[in-house]
Amino acid sequence: MPHFNLPELAIVLVIVVVLFGRGRVGQLGGEVGTAIREFRKGISGDEPSKPTDVPVIDPTQIPPAAR
């Protein structure tokens, strides 16, 4: 895995700013931070699971031929 020093990181940052613009880079950073936070919440299970739209089938309602 390559190790990046300060000069290499500065060059990459300048290229990103030139390509996307200063305002868009800030927005991208905020969006990435939000995505990471949501991912961590999903992994840790802090948020209650959302119910799905899958119907619950009562086994007594299944015809005998299908059992």
Side-chain angles (χ1 to χ4, degrees):
M1 185 169 173
H3 296 282
F4 294 107
N5 293 327
L6 188 58
E8 289 90 0
L9 291 176
I11 292 170
V12 170
L13 180 62
V14 168
I15 292 171
V16 169
V17 169
V18 167
L19 289 176
F20 294 106
R22 207 170 50 141
R24 183 67 183 142
V25 171
Q27 288 176 348
L28 286 172
E31 291 171 4
V32 168
T34 301
I36 291 172
R37 260 185 261 115
E38 292 296 323
F39 179 75
R40 286 182 181 170
K41 279 184 190 177
I43 294 292
S44 67
D46 290 341
E47 189 175 325
S49 62
K50 298 177 184 174
T52 59
D53 293 334
V54 177
V56 177
I57 300 173
D58 184 10
T60 60
Q61 301 296 323
I62 301 174
R67 288 186 201 172

